[in-house]
Amino acid sequence: MKMSKGEKWFSGINHFALACFGLLALAPFIHILAQSFSSYRAIVSGEVSFLPVEWTTEAYMKVFNDPGFVQSFLVSVQRTVVGTLISVVMTMLLAYPLSRYYIKGRGPIMFLIVFTMLFSGGMIPTYLVIKELHLMNTFWAYVIPGAVNAFHVVIMKNFFQSIPNELEESARIDGSSNLGILFRIVVPLSMPVIATIALFNAVGQWNSFFDAVMYVTDSSLKPLQIYLRELVMSGQSNINTTDSLERQLLAVESLKAAALIASTLPILLVYPFLQKYFVKGIMIGSVKG
Protein backbone atom coordinates (compact mmCIF):
# COMPACT_ATOMS: atom_id res chain seq x y z
CA MET A 1 0.00 0.00 0.00
CA LYS A 2 1.31 3.41 -1.01
CA MET A 3 2.21 5.67 1.90
CA SER A 4 0.99 9.25 2.06
CA LYS A 5 3.38 12.16 2.48
CA GLY A 6 2.53 12.48 6.18
CA GLU A 7 3.11 8.76 6.74
CA LYS A 8 6.48 8.99 5.01
CA TRP A 9 7.51 11.88 7.26
CA PHE A 10 6.28 10.00 10.34
CA SER A 11 8.17 6.86 9.29
CA GLY A 12 11.33 8.83 8.61
CA ILE A 13 11.22 10.56 11.99
CA ASN A 14 10.65 7.21 13.69
CA HIS A 15 13.63 5.65 11.93
CA PHE A 16 15.82 8.64 12.83
CA ALA A 17 14.76 8.56 16.49
CA LEU A 18 15.29 4.80 16.76
CA ALA A 19 18.71 5.14 15.14
CA CYS A 20 19.66 7.82 17.68
CA PHE A 21 18.48 5.66 20.58
CA GLY A 22 20.41 2.70 19.15
CA LEU A 23 23.60 4.77 18.93
CA LEU A 24 23.13 6.00 22.49
CA ALA A 25 22.80 2.41 23.70
CA LEU A 26 25.87 1.37 21.69
CA ALA A 27 28.05 4.33 22.73
CA PRO A 28 29.22 2.96 26.14
CA PHE A 29 30.21 -0.35 24.54
CA ILE A 30 32.20 1.41 21.82
CA HIS A 31 33.92 3.59 24.43
CA ILE A 32 34.93 0.54 26.48
CA LEU A 33 36.16 -1.16 23.30
CA ALA A 34 38.29 1.89 22.44
CA GLN A 35 39.75 1.98 25.94
CA SER A 36 40.73 -1.67 25.75
CA PHE A 37 42.94 -0.96 22.73
CA SER A 38 44.39 2.34 24.02
CA SER A 39 47.56 3.10 25.95
CA TYR A 40 47.80 4.13 29.58
CA ARG A 41 48.82 7.69 28.70
CA ALA A 42 45.86 8.18 26.37
CA ILE A 43 43.37 6.87 28.93
CA VAL A 44 44.56 8.92 31.93
CA SER A 45 44.83 12.06 29.78
CA GLY A 46 41.20 11.67 28.68
CA GLU A 47 41.97 11.41 24.96
CA VAL A 48 39.98 8.21 24.38
CA SER A 49 36.39 8.63 23.24
CA PHE A 50 35.12 6.27 20.53
CA LEU A 51 38.38 5.47 18.73
CA PRO A 52 41.52 3.85 20.18
CA VAL A 53 44.48 6.15 20.80
CA GLU A 54 48.01 4.74 20.54
CA TRP A 55 46.77 1.30 19.53
CA THR A 56 47.94 -1.59 21.73
CA THR A 57 46.76 -5.13 22.49
CA GLU A 58 48.76 -5.39 25.70
CA ALA A 59 45.65 -5.42 27.89
CA TYR A 60 44.16 -8.39 26.03
CA MET A 61 47.44 -10.28 26.20
CA LYS A 62 47.52 -9.76 29.96
CA VAL A 63 43.88 -10.74 30.45
CA PHE A 64 44.07 -13.91 28.32
CA ASN A 65 47.27 -15.00 30.05
CA ASP A 66 45.73 -14.61 33.51
CA PRO A 67 44.88 -18.07 34.95
CA GLY A 68 42.04 -16.55 37.00
CA PHE A 69 40.34 -15.17 33.90
CA VAL A 70 40.73 -18.43 31.98
CA GLN A 71 39.34 -20.49 34.87
CA SER A 72 36.38 -18.15 35.37
CA PHE A 73 35.70 -18.10 31.64
CA LEU A 74 35.59 -21.90 31.49
CA VAL A 75 33.23 -22.05 34.48
CA SER A 76 30.88 -19.55 32.80
CA VAL A 77 30.93 -21.49 29.53
CA GLN A 78 30.24 -24.75 31.36
CA ARG A 79 27.36 -23.36 33.42
CA THR A 80 25.86 -21.67 30.36
CA VAL A 81 25.94 -24.81 28.21
CA VAL A 82 24.87 -27.29 30.91
CA GLY A 83 22.36 -24.96 32.55
CA THR A 84 20.71 -24.01 29.27
CA LEU A 85 20.47 -27.61 28.08
CA ILE A 86 18.97 -28.88 31.35
CA SER A 87 16.57 -25.94 31.63
CA VAL A 88 15.27 -26.28 28.05
CA VAL A 89 14.74 -30.04 28.38
CA MET A 90 12.97 -29.77 31.74
CA THR A 91 10.82 -26.89 30.50
CA MET A 92 9.74 -28.94 27.49
CA LEU A 93 8.93 -31.98 29.64
CA LEU A 94 6.73 -29.82 31.89
CA ALA A 95 5.13 -27.61 29.24
CA TYR A 96 4.13 -30.42 26.86
CA PRO A 97 1.70 -32.27 29.18
CA LEU A 98 0.28 -28.95 30.39
CA SER A 99 -0.55 -28.09 26.78
CA ARG A 100 -2.54 -31.27 26.16
CA TYR A 101 -6.28 -30.90 26.80
CA TYR A 102 -6.75 -34.57 27.81
CA ILE A 103 -4.33 -34.39 30.76
CA LYS A 104 -6.35 -34.26 33.99
CA GLY A 105 -5.32 -31.90 36.77
CA ARG A 106 -3.30 -29.58 34.55
CA GLY A 107 -5.32 -26.57 35.76
CA PRO A 108 -4.21 -26.76 39.42
CA ILE A 109 -0.64 -27.50 38.37
CA MET A 110 -0.64 -24.49 36.07
CA PHE A 111 -2.00 -22.36 38.92
CA LEU A 112 0.87 -23.44 41.17
CA ILE A 113 3.38 -22.59 38.45
CA VAL A 114 1.91 -19.13 37.85
CA PHE A 115 1.70 -18.60 41.63
CA THR A 116 5.51 -18.83 41.84
CA MET A 117 5.74 -15.92 39.38
CA LEU A 118 4.01 -13.68 41.92
CA PHE A 119 5.26 -15.02 45.26
CA SER A 120 8.52 -16.64 46.31
CA GLY A 121 10.00 -17.98 49.51
CA GLY A 122 12.67 -15.29 49.66
CA MET A 123 16.43 -15.25 49.84
CA ILE A 124 16.94 -16.83 53.26
CA PRO A 125 14.61 -19.85 52.74
CA THR A 126 16.23 -20.41 49.35
CA TYR A 127 19.66 -20.34 50.93
CA LEU A 128 18.57 -22.86 53.57
CA VAL A 129 17.17 -25.18 50.89
CA ILE A 130 20.40 -25.02 48.91
CA LYS A 131 22.35 -25.76 52.08
CA GLU A 132 20.18 -28.72 53.09
CA LEU A 133 20.47 -30.18 49.59
CA HIS A 134 24.28 -30.03 49.97
CA LEU A 135 24.65 -27.85 46.90
CA MET A 136 26.89 -25.29 48.60
CA ASN A 137 30.27 -24.95 46.89
CA THR A 138 29.21 -27.21 44.03
CA PHE A 139 28.71 -26.54 40.35
CA TRP A 140 25.08 -27.69 40.58
CA ALA A 141 24.20 -24.68 42.73
CA TYR A 142 24.27 -22.76 39.44
CA VAL A 143 22.04 -25.16 37.54
CA ILE A 144 19.44 -26.89 39.72
CA PRO A 145 17.75 -23.96 41.57
CA GLY A 146 16.80 -22.18 38.34
CA ALA A 147 16.35 -25.20 36.10
CA VAL A 148 12.63 -24.46 35.55
CA ASN A 149 11.40 -20.92 35.03
CA ALA A 150 7.63 -20.37 35.32
CA PHE A 151 7.60 -17.66 32.65
CA HIS A 152 9.39 -19.93 30.19
CA VAL A 153 6.94 -22.75 30.93
CA VAL A 154 3.98 -20.48 30.12
CA ILE A 155 5.53 -19.34 26.83
CA MET A 156 6.41 -22.87 25.73
CA LYS A 157 3.04 -24.29 26.82
CA ASN A 158 1.17 -21.70 24.75
CA PHE A 159 3.36 -22.44 21.74
CA PHE A 160 2.74 -26.18 22.05
CA GLN A 161 -1.00 -25.50 22.11
CA SER A 162 -0.74 -23.84 18.68
CA ILE A 163 0.44 -27.14 17.11
CA PRO A 164 -2.51 -28.99 15.50
CA ASN A 165 -3.78 -31.94 17.53
CA GLU A 166 -4.24 -33.92 14.32
CA LEU A 167 -0.48 -34.41 14.05
CA GLU A 168 -0.37 -36.01 17.49
CA GLU A 169 -3.39 -38.18 16.75
CA SER A 170 -1.81 -39.43 13.52
CA ALA A 171 1.43 -40.27 15.30
CA ARG A 172 -0.46 -42.06 18.06
CA ILE A 173 -2.33 -44.17 15.48
CA ASP A 174 1.07 -45.16 14.06
CA GLY A 175 2.08 -46.39 17.52
CA SER A 176 4.25 -43.51 18.68
CA SER A 177 4.68 -42.99 22.42
CA ASN A 178 4.25 -39.68 24.23
CA LEU A 179 8.01 -39.05 24.29
CA GLY A 180 8.21 -40.05 20.64
CA ILE A 181 5.52 -37.52 19.74
CA LEU A 182 7.29 -34.84 21.76
CA PHE A 183 10.79 -35.29 20.35
CA ARG A 184 9.90 -36.39 16.79
CA ILE A 185 6.98 -34.10 16.01
CA VAL A 186 6.50 -31.34 18.57
CA VAL A 187 10.14 -30.36 19.09
CA PRO A 188 11.02 -30.00 15.36
CA LEU A 189 7.95 -27.78 14.89
CA SER A 190 8.79 -25.71 17.98
CA MET A 191 12.31 -24.57 17.16
CA PRO A 192 11.37 -20.85 17.34
CA VAL A 193 10.17 -21.05 20.95
CA ILE A 194 12.95 -23.48 21.94
CA ALA A 195 15.57 -21.12 20.51
CA THR A 196 13.93 -18.22 22.35
CA ILE A 197 13.93 -20.03 25.69
CA ALA A 198 17.50 -21.20 25.09
CA LEU A 199 18.58 -17.61 24.46
CA PHE A 200 16.84 -16.40 27.64
CA ASN A 201 18.56 -19.11 29.67
CA ALA A 202 21.97 -18.65 28.08
CA VAL A 203 22.01 -14.89 28.68
CA GLY A 204 20.75 -15.37 32.24
CA GLN A 205 23.36 -18.01 33.05
CA TRP A 206 26.20 -16.05 31.46
CA ASN A 207 25.35 -12.81 33.30
CA SER A 208 24.40 -14.35 36.64
CA PHE A 209 26.62 -13.61 39.64
CA PHE A 210 24.33 -13.45 42.69
CA ASP A 211 24.13 -17.24 43.07
CA ALA A 212 27.93 -17.43 43.01
CA VAL A 213 28.13 -14.78 45.73
CA MET A 214 25.55 -16.57 47.89
CA TYR A 215 26.38 -20.25 47.45
CA VAL A 216 30.02 -20.55 46.34
CA THR A 217 33.24 -19.65 48.14
CA ASP A 218 35.56 -21.94 46.20
CA SER A 219 37.57 -19.70 43.85
CA SER A 220 37.86 -22.49 41.27
CA LEU A 221 34.06 -22.43 40.83
CA LYS A 222 33.61 -18.68 40.53
CA PRO A 223 32.21 -17.62 37.14
CA LEU A 224 33.44 -14.81 34.94
CA GLN A 225 31.03 -12.25 36.36
CA ILE A 226 32.58 -12.63 39.82
CA TYR A 227 36.03 -12.16 38.31
CA LEU A 228 34.83 -8.96 36.63
CA ARG A 229 33.11 -7.79 39.82
CA GLU A 230 36.31 -8.12 41.81
CA LEU A 231 38.35 -6.48 39.06
CA VAL A 232 36.01 -3.53 38.54
CA MET A 233 34.99 -2.85 42.15
CA SER A 234 38.20 -3.48 44.04
CA GLY A 235 40.90 -3.94 41.41
CA GLN A 236 41.65 -7.44 42.71
CA SER A 237 43.40 -9.44 40.01
CA ASN A 238 46.34 -11.76 39.58
CA ILE A 239 47.33 -10.06 36.35
CA ASN A 240 51.06 -9.38 36.37
CA THR A 241 52.00 -5.86 35.33
CA THR A 242 55.52 -5.65 36.75
CA ASP A 243 57.54 -7.05 33.83
CA SER A 244 58.90 -3.72 32.65
CA LEU A 245 58.38 0.00 32.97
CA GLU A 246 56.09 0.05 29.95
CA ARG A 247 53.96 -2.72 31.39
CA GLN A 248 53.86 -1.03 34.77
CA LEU A 249 52.11 1.83 32.99
CA LEU A 250 49.39 -0.49 31.75
CA ALA A 251 46.22 1.15 33.03
CA VAL A 252 43.89 -0.73 35.29
CA GLU A 253 41.08 0.84 33.24
CA SER A 254 42.35 -0.80 30.05
CA LEU A 255 42.56 -4.16 31.84
CA LYS A 256 38.99 -3.70 33.03
CA ALA A 257 37.88 -2.74 29.53
CA ALA A 258 39.62 -5.71 27.92
CA ALA A 259 38.10 -8.12 30.46
CA LEU A 260 34.62 -6.65 29.92
CA ILE A 261 34.87 -6.95 26.13
CA ALA A 262 36.25 -10.50 26.35
CA SER A 263 33.37 -11.51 28.62
CA THR A 264 30.67 -9.85 26.50
CA LEU A 265 31.80 -11.05 23.07
CA PRO A 266 30.83 -14.76 23.37
CA ILE A 267 27.16 -14.07 24.16
CA LEU A 268 27.04 -11.42 21.41
CA LEU A 269 28.25 -14.01 18.91
CA VAL A 270 25.49 -16.44 19.90
CA TYR A 271 22.60 -14.00 19.46
CA PRO A 272 22.71 -13.60 15.62
CA PHE A 273 22.21 -17.34 15.15
CA LEU A 274 19.05 -17.29 17.30
CA GLN A 275 17.67 -13.89 16.27
CA LYS A 276 15.54 -15.24 13.40
CA TYR A 277 13.64 -17.45 15.87
CA PHE A 278 13.40 -14.88 18.65
CA VAL A 279 10.48 -12.64 17.60
CA LYS A 280 8.39 -15.49 16.20
CA GLY A 281 8.90 -17.65 19.27
CA ILE A 282 8.12 -15.01 21.85
CA MET A 283 5.07 -13.66 19.99
CA ILE A 284 3.40 -16.99 19.26
CA GLY A 285 4.25 -18.35 22.68
CA SER A 286 2.78 -15.36 24.49
CA VAL A 287 -0.34 -14.73 22.39
CA LYS A 288 -1.68 -18.12 21.37
CA GLY A 289 -3.76 -20.30 23.70
Side-chain angles (χ1 to χ4, degrees):
M1 185 175 65
K2 188 176 180 180
M3 297 176 62
S4 65
K5 186 176 180 179
E7 290 175 335
K8 290 181 180 179
W9 273 100
F10 182 75
S11 178
I13 293 174
N14 276 341
H15 281 83
F16 177 76
L18 292 174
C20 291
F21 288 137
L23 291 175
L24 287 175
L26 197 60
F29 183 82
I30 297 176
H31 177 66
I32 294 295
L33 183 63
Q35 276 195 335
S36 69
F37 286 109
S38 299
S39 67
Y40 168 80
R41 188 202 63 79
I43 294 175
V44 297
S45 61
E47 298 178 14
V48 182
S49 55
F50 298 112
L51 292 175
V53 178
E54 298 177 3
W55 179 280
T56 177
T57 59
E58 188 72 21
Y60 285 97
M61 293 175 61
K62 285 293 184 180
V63 168
F64 290 137
N65 288 328
D66 179 27
F69 176 85
V70 175
Q71 176 65 26
S72 299
F73 186 86
L74 293 176
V75 171
S76 288
V77 171
Q78 184 180 5
R79 71 170 292 179
T80 300
V81 174
V82 175
T84 300
L85 180 62
I86 291 177
S87 181
V88 169
V89 172
M90 294 188 67
T91 302
M92 287 192 303
L93 294 177
L94 178 57
Y96 176 68
L98 291 175
S99 67
R100 302 298 93 182
Y101 64 92
Y102 53 81
I103 300 293
K104 296 182 179 180
R106 63 193 183 108
I109 295 176
M110 196 64 207
F111 170 78
L112 294 176
I113 293 174
V114 175
F115 185 84
T116 63
M117 297 174 63
L118 306 175
F119 305 98
S120 65
M123 182 173 61
I124 295 177
T126 303
Y127 178 87
L128 294 176
V129 170
I130 299 298
K131 183 178 180 181
E132 291 300 319
L133 292 176
H134 303 289
L135 296 178
M136 302 291 292
N137 270 328
T138 65
F139 173 79
W140 299 108
Y142 299 143
V143 177
I144 294 179
V148 177
N149 183 288
F151 177 65
H152 297 170
V153 172
V154 172
I155 292 177
M156 191 169 289
K157 164 189 169 292
N158 292 339
F159 193 99
F160 286 165
Q161 286 180 335
S162 68
I163 298 176
N165 293 324
E166 290 76 10
L167 294 175
E168 180 178 344
E169 293 172 359
S170 299
R172 202 173 297 280
I173 292 174
D174 292 335
S176 181
S177 63
N178 290 324
L179 288 178
I181 294 172
L182 174 61
F183 289 105
R184 294 179 183 176
I185 296 178
V186 176
V187 169
L189 294 174
S190 304
M191 289 309 299
V193 74
I194 292 175
T196 301
I197 299 304
L199 181 62
F200 283 162
N201 280 285
V203 173
Q205 288 283 1
W206 185 266
N207 291 331
S208 180
F209 75 94
F210 187 72
D211 50 4
V213 173
M214 290 292 296
Y215 312 133
V216 176
T217 57
D218 187 353
S219 59
S220 64
L221 290 175
K222 290 187 176 181
L224 190 56
Q225 303 306 322
I226 297 299
Y227 175 91
L228 295 176
R229 177 176 175 269
E230 294 174 351
L231 180 62
V232 172
M233 295 184 62
S234 58
Q236 297 177 5
S237 174
N238 294 323
I239 298 177
N240 177 24
T241 58
T242 60
D243 305 57
S244 64
L245 178 60
E246 177 65 26
R247 293 181 180 181
Q248 287 179 20
L249 296 177
L250 186 63
V252 175
E253 299 333 345
S254 63
L255 290 175
K256 293 178 182 179
L260 288 170
I261 295 299
S263 65
T264 305
L265 194 59
I267 204 68
L268 290 179
L269 295 177
V270 172
Y271 181 76
F273 296 100
L274 301 177
Q275 183 182 14
K276 63 180 180 180
Y277 299 110
F278 186 77
V279 175
K280 182 179 179 182
I282 194 68
M283 289 299 293
I284 295 180
S286 59
V287 175
K288 290 279 181 127

